């Protein structure tokens, strides 16, 4: 077994040995794919889509500052999508009908002669040769197979009628595959002053993002890992699964040139980055393959093993083989690694393919942003609209620092400025102008953008506001204008946020039943708190979310510890099966008035590591505290926990938020004093009572017809679970004991 897989399988064991009673970060098992969320929500069975793409011409270039992948999210009712073919599973003599059904074993015709001596005999029904098509692929392949009518005939010879009885389970049933054609994307991409087709990549396994790499050549990379195009693990039931994961494949490229044209492909790559795991396994690798059209074969051209974190490295590859110099050439990147989560990360950047290049053509005459921005506010990335409206200037940052990079080997005269306006509207203000003219050659440098005296104008909105901020670089010459502009939307609604909305790791406490996590928020006025939004990364551990229950808690002070509210009921981490990086809203049992400085978080009731989303691109380390020993300690981790307090407001624009799911286990009465009736239809096993610190207090056989005796349970909150004979949790619910 691979070392890192042992880490995955042994999370709890690791927690009790090397990380006992402490906080930790672990790699994610799911990552955001907001651009492919539609694929999860609109997946249709028995459909296949043929995506048309325009052929690319040399030269071509992509630095991933914008997304040029073809997102395979089509639906039959999308504009331009047409039904091209219908493939039936069963055909006889080349003909298919919707009601075809056959049996794969012999069926019979029984005869009974009642004249004279009764006798019965049988004959096999006639064999029918059918063509059976594989509907999992297109073009579909088929095999010929013998089959029989799906019925048995009982025939009494002296009766003009026959009784026909259908075979109960005809196992060859008609089915069909609908094939749709999706037209080429009509959008274009400006390259060297010429419009070319926007779509360069024919698939969308890799994730185009700006937050996972460390010091990339320009803003945006393509990230390869062990999660699929929707952001969920390729394999969800085997943490040690290993193999090929993501692909990034070009559309056809016209390479019909002689080999003397000095055609080179170049790109940058980095292992791990900010989001990958640190367990180095040399069998993990990044691979580049070329497609030989005449041979219909992919040829491995380059690969590199997974290593410790390293700077981006540029690769130069000549293309001289006649097999690849064809009008429909393609190339693709793929990665080998663990298939059970966002592990073994690779990031690639600045892919270029052109003629008349040389082995030392590595210089890029380009100035670009390095990372996306996320806020013009002081401390926060989002604040409540009503709070902001009372004192706009006090919430705005005086200035913001951003990173730029000059990839050329000479100093450039670089200028910049920013603008802001309501999302969907024209800019209402320009600010943050500046320049750099010296000592910027081949370097990454910080540009400071003055924000004050600009402030978002609350009079332009009612109840909530979304401001689009645009930062632009101006430099000439420059081979790529797309990476010169960076945009983000600032939300002012009903919550405070310290994070940028994207998790790079999962945070939790190891081996800490009763452990506490708290995040400090400072407001300019006291207000009413009604809920907390938390992002939990979908992970293997716990296998059942109810094994990681917690009590939502609000403090006014951590030293001395002063709790002003703790939910009466337990909450469970809601690891979303889709909609990654979507916060789940956990309401407080009752709205609570909080002072201008307060803390929100949770007290966990078990030792399970809960994997709260952790944003490594914003640093609010000084505001994160944990307690596993009796007193709160400031975190050692640099970043922000994805926990957001929600205040009472007239407008709540937060869409797509789902409350924690209803419990399936019935308890009566609740609150209870002595006798508790437990009901879970169809359950066989045991009923358990757990207290808020994760201790098992009671286990007895589950019975619908008899109550549980709670006489020995102290007043307070509990979890009741019903488990099957193997210990699998069948249902759970929260219980309050009162006397």
């Amino acid at each position: 077994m691979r070392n890192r897989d042992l880490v995955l399988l042994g999370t709890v064991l690791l927690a009790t040995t090397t990380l006992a009673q402490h906080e930790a970060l672990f790699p994610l098992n799911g990552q955001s794919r907001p651009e492919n969320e539609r694929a999860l929500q609109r997946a249709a069975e028995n459909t296949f889509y043929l995506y048309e793409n325009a052929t690319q011409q040399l030269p071509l270039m992509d630095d991933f500052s914008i997304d040029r992948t073809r997102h395979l999210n089509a639906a039959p009712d999308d504009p331009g999508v047409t039904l091209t073919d219908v493939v039936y599973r069963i055909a006889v003599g080349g003909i298919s009908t919707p009601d075809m059904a056959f049996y794969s074993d012999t069926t019979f015709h029984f005869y009974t002669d009642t004249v004279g001596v009764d006798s019965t005999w049988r004959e096999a029904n006639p064999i029918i040769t059918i063509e059976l098509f594989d509907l999992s692929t297109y073009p579909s392949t088929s095999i010929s197979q013998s089959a029989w009518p799906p019925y048995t005939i009982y025939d009494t010879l002296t009766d003009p009628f026959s009784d026909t009885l259908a075979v109960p389970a005809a196992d060859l049933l008609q089915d069909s595959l609908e094939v749709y054609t999706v037209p080429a994307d009509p959008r274009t991409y400006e390259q060297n002053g010429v419009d070319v087709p926007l779509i360069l990549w024919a698939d969308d396994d890799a994730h185009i993002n700006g937050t996972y790499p460390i010091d990339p050549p320009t803003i945006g990379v393509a990230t390869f890992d062990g999660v699929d195009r929707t952001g969920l693990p390729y394999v969800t039931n085997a943490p040690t699964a290993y193999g090929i994961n993501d692909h990034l494949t070009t559309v056809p490229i016209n390479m019909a040139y002689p080999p003397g044209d000095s055609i080179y492909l170049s790109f940058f790559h980095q292992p791990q980055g900010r989001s990958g795991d640190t367990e180095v396994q040399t069998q993990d690798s990044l691979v580049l393959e070329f497609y030989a059209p005449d041979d219909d074969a992919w040829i491995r051209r380059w690969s590199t093993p997974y290593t410790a974190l390293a700077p981006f490295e540029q690769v130069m590859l000549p293309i001289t083989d006649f097999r690849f110099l064809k009008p429909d050439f393609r190339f693709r990147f793929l990665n080998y690694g663990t298939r059970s989560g966002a592990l073994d990360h690779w990031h690639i950047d600045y892919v270029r393919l052109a003629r008349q290049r040389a082995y030392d053509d590595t210089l890029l005459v380009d100035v670009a942003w390095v990372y996306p921005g996320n806020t013009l506010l002081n401390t926060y990335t989002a604040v409540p609209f009503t709070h902001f409206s009372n004192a706009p200037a006090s919430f705005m940052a005086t200035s913001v620092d951003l990173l730029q990079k000059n990839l050329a080997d000479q100093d450039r005269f670089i200028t910049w400025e920013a603008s802001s306006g309501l999302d969907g509207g024209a800019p209402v203000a320009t600010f943050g102008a500046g320049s750099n003219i010296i000592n910027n050659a081949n370097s990454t440098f910080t540009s400071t953008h003055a924000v004050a005296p600009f402030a978002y104008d609350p009079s332009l909105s009612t109840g909530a506001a979304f401001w689009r901020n645009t930062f632009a670089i101006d430099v000439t010459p420059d081979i790529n204008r797309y990476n010169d502009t960076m945009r983000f939307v600032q939300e002012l609604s009903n919550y405070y946020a310290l994070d940028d909305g994207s998790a790079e790791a999962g945070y939790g406490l190891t081996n800490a039943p009763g452990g506490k996590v708290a995040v400090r928020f400072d407001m300019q006025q006291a207000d009413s708190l009604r809920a907390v939004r938390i992002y939990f990364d979908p992970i293997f551990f716990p296998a059942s979310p109810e094994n990681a229950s917690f009590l939502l808690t609000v403090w006014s002070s951590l030293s001395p510890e002063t709790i002003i509210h703790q939910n009466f009921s337990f909450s469970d981490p809601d690891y979303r099966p889709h909609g990654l990086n979507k916060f789940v809203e956990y309401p407080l049992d009752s709205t609570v008035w909080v002072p201008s400085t307060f803390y929100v978080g949770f007290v966990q009731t078990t030792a399970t590591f809960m994997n709260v989303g952790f944003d490594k691109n914003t640093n609010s380390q000084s505001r994160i505290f944990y307690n596993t020993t009796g007193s709160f300690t400031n975190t050692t981790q640099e970043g922000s926990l994805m926990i957001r307090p929600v205040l009472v407001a007239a407008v709540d624009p937060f869409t797509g938020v789902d409350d924690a799911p209803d419990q399936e286990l019935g308890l009566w009465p609740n609150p209870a004093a002595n006798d508790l009736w437990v009901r879970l239809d169809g359950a066989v096993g045991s009923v358990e009572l757990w207290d808020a610190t994760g201790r098992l207090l009671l286990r007895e056989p589950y019975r619908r017809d008899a109550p549980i005796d709670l006489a020995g349970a102290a007043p307070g909150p509990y979890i009741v679970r019903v488990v099957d004979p193997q210990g699998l949790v069948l249902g759970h619910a929260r219980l309050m004991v009162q006397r």
Side-chain angles (χ1 to χ4, degrees):
M1 184 179 295
R2 309 166 74 213
N3 293 338
R4 197 263 325 294
D5 296 332
L6 285 171
V7 172
L8 282 172
L9 284 175
T11 299
V12 175
L13 176 61
L14 179 64
T16 59
T17 55
T18 62
L19 295 173
Q21 296 294 323
H22 209 274
E23 59 173 1
L25 293 181
F26 281 100
L28 299 175
N29 272 71
Q31 286 188 321
S32 174
R33 296 291 191 275
E35 65 277 10
N36 284 340
E37 187 174 312
R38 186 185 189 209
L40 286 160
Q41 298 174 343
R42 299 190 60 176
E45 295 182 359
N46 290 2
T47 56
F48 187 89
Y49 294 92
L50 298 171
Y51 290 85
E52 297 178 337
N53 292 301
T55 298
Q56 291 280 354
Q57 307 292 329
L58 298 188
L60 60 83
M61 172 182 68
D62 189 13
D63 76 328
F64 304 101
S65 55
I66 66 170
D67 189 353
R68 301 183 65 192
T69 58
R70 188 70 190 266
H71 293 287
L72 310 181
N73 298 334
D77 56 352
D78 285 347
V81 174
T82 57
L83 180 63
T84 304
D85 193 8
V86 177
V87 180
Y88 285 95
R89 185 187 182 208
I90 301 172
V92 177
I95 299 175
S96 297
T97 60
D99 58 350
M100 280 183 168
F102 296 94
Y103 203 67
S104 59
D105 201 355
T106 310
T107 58
F108 296 92
H109 189 147
F110 289 88
Y111 299 90
T112 300
D113 184 359
T114 60
V115 177
V117 180
D118 285 351
S119 61
T120 299
W121 68 97
R122 71 178 186 178
E123 294 179 356
N125 284 327
I127 296 176
I128 303 169
T129 300
I130 68 172
E131 194 171 5
L132 197 63
F133 287 84
D134 178 6
L135 301 186
S136 65
T137 62
Y138 186 83
S140 299
T141 58
S142 66
I143 59 172
S144 293
Q145 179 173 328
S146 295
W148 287 262
Y151 50 75
T152 296
I153 299 175
Y154 295 90
D155 188 359
T156 302
L157 296 180
T158 57
D159 189 334
F161 300 99
S162 297
D163 296 324
T164 301
L165 301 178
V167 173
D171 54 358
L172 298 174
L173 299 176
Q174 186 63 287
D175 200 355
S176 62
L177 176 70
E178 294 181 341
V179 181
Y180 294 88
T181 297
V182 184
D185 192 314
R187 294 175 295 170
T188 59
Y189 177 87
E190 184 180 340
Q191 181 174 286
N192 298 324
V194 177
D195 286 342
V196 301
L198 172 68
I199 299 301
L200 175 59
W201 309 101
D203 46 31
D204 56 355
D205 294 349
H207 180 37
I208 312 304
N209 72 93
T211 60
Y212 296 159
I214 294 179
D215 193 26
T218 65
I219 185 172
V221 296
T223 296
F224 296 73
D225 51 26
V227 298
D228 65 18
R229 55 185 296 269
T230 67
L232 298 178
Y234 281 102
V235 177
T236 59
N237 59 357
T240 61
Y242 173 81
I244 296 175
N245 291 312
D246 293 339
H247 292 83
L248 187 63
T249 310
T250 67
V251 301
I253 302 168
N254 182 11
M255 288 274 284
Y257 297 101
D261 274 2
S262 300
I263 300 174
Y264 273 82
L265 171 67
S266 64
F267 59 92
F268 291 80
H269 65 91
Q270 180 185 62
Q272 296 189 18
R274 198 180 303 277
S275 53
D277 67 290
T278 58
E279 293 293 326
V280 175
Q281 306 289 325
T282 55
Q283 61 266 51
D284 300 337
S285 60
L286 179 67
V287 173
L288 172 66
E289 296 180 336
F290 289 173
Y291 179 65
D294 293 347
D295 302 328
D296 190 24
W298 287 95
I299 310 300
R300 182 159 301 185
R301 182 64 180 82
W302 172 91
S303 66
T304 186
Y306 197 68
T307 67
L309 175 64
F312 274 86
E313 177 183 350
Q314 187 170 194
V315 174
M316 295 285 298
L317 295 172
I319 303 179
T320 58
D321 194 323
F322 278 108
R323 290 181 297 173
F324 308 129
L325 299 175
K326 305 292 179 179
D328 49 356
F329 168 75
R330 289 177 288 163
F331 65 89
R332 69 183 181 188
F333 296 92
L334 57 91
N335 68 306
Y336 284 85
T338 300
R339 311 198 73 211
S340 58
L343 306 157
D344 308 327
H345 277 202
W346 289 100
H347 313 286
I348 65 168
D349 199 2
Y350 235 125
V351 177
R352 293 189 296 160
L353 177 62
R355 303 163 59 198
Q356 299 176 351
R357 299 184 67 187
Y359 70 93
D360 57 354
D361 180 16
T362 59
L363 184 65
L364 291 160
V365 182
D366 195 6
V367 175
W369 298 108
V370 179
Y371 293 113
N374 53 57
T375 188
L376 293 186
L377 301 178
N378 182 18
T379 305
Y380 298 106
T381 57
V383 298
F385 181 80
T386 54
H387 288 204
F388 183 87
S389 299
N390 291 336
S394 64
F395 281 95
M396 301 297 294
T398 303
S399 62
V400 293
D401 290 339
L402 300 171
L403 289 180
Q404 296 182 33
K405 180 170 291 190
N406 179 7
L407 293 164
D409 59 356
Q410 296 181 2
D411 288 345
R412 312 293 303 282
F413 180 31
I414 307 166
T415 61
W416 56 79
E417 68 177 12
S419 62
S420 185
L422 287 174
D423 195 21
V428 299
T430 301
F431 57 92
S435 64
N436 184 326
I437 61 174
I438 59 173
N439 299 326
N440 59 45
N442 194 27
S443 68
T444 301
F445 62 92
T446 300
S447 57
T448 299
H449 306 257
V451 176
F454 168 72
Y456 302 129
D457 185 353
S459 68
L460 299 177
S461 307
T462 302
F466 295 84
W467 286 79
R468 178 171 291 274
N469 301 294
T470 302
F471 289 79
I473 298 170
D474 187 15
V475 61
T476 302
D478 194 72
I479 65 172
N480 187 355
R481 294 295 184 184
Y482 289 96
N483 57 35
D484 298 346
T485 303
M486 177 264 294
R487 300 178 178 89
F488 65 90
V489 174
Q490 187 104 52
E491 179 179 351
L492 309 174
S493 58
N494 65 342
Y495 66 92
Y496 280 93
L498 294 161
D499 62 273
D500 68 359
S502 174
E504 283 73 49
Y507 176 92
L509 303 177
T510 58
N511 192 34
K516 306 172 184 180
V517 174
V519 182
R520 190 182 84 237
F521 291 88
D522 299 308
M523 308 184 295
Q524 295 195 348
Q525 63 194 76
D527 208 338
S528 297
L529 180 71
R530 69 166 183 82
V532 178
R533 292 171 184 155
I534 307 177
Y535 170 64
F536 290 99
D537 179 63
I539 57 173
F540 284 113
F541 304 102
S544 299
E546 61 270 20
N547 291 336
S549 59
F550 62 89
L551 291 170
L552 203 62
T553 308
V554 183
W555 297 263
S556 60
S557 170
L558 299 183
S559 182
E561 183 177 3
T562 306
I563 295 176
I564 57 177
H565 177 85
Q566 188 169 73
N567 264 9
F568 161 86
S569 55
F570 291 95
S571 298
D572 301 328
D574 193 359
Y575 303 99
R576 305 307 294 171
H578 63 270
L580 301 176
N581 275 3
K582 290 292 183 73
F583 286 76
V584 174
E585 183 166 295
Y586 294 89
L588 302 182
D589 287 342
S590 60
T591 299
V592 60
W593 187 258
V594 292
S596 57
T597 294
F598 67 100
Y599 303 78
V600 296
F602 54 83
V603 178
Q604 65 185 63
T605 63
T606 71
T608 305
F609 188 86
M610 291 197 292
N611 233 44
V612 180
F614 195 79
D615 168 25
K616 292 185 177 182
N617 289 287
T618 63
N619 188 6
S620 59
Q621 179 182 10
S622 64
R623 295 174 172 270
I624 304 172
F625 301 87
Y626 70 97
N627 180 349
T628 59
T629 60
S631 61
F632 280 92
T633 302
N634 188 212
T635 182
T636 60
Q637 308 294 342
E638 293 186 5
S640 296
L641 272 179
M642 297 174 71
I643 296 178
R644 300 174 171 180
V646 183
L647 304 180
V648 173
V651 176
D652 186 356
F654 191 62
T655 58
V657 179
D658 297 313
D659 292 339
D662 293 333
Q663 306 305 309
E664 59 185 8
L665 187 65
L667 303 180
W668 185 86
N670 191 6
N674 295 306
D675 289 342
L676 174 70
W677 297 81
V678 180
R679 179 171 180 176
L680 184 61
D681 291 341
V684 176
S686 302
V687 60
E688 300 177 342
L689 183 70
W690 296 74
D691 70 9
T693 65
R695 293 183 303 164
L696 177 62
L697 303 182
L698 177 149
R699 179 187 289 122
E700 61 183 56
Y702 168 65
R703 294 178 57 190
R704 288 187 56 180
D705 57 353
I708 296 174
D709 183 4
L710 298 177
Y718 294 86
I719 291 178
V720 178
R721 299 174 181 168
V722 174
V723 299
D724 70 8
Q726 288 72 44
L728 177 67
V729 177
L730 301 176
H732 75 290
R734 294 106 177 194
L735 169 71
M736 178 61 70
V737 174
Q738 292 181 347
R739 293 191 177 87

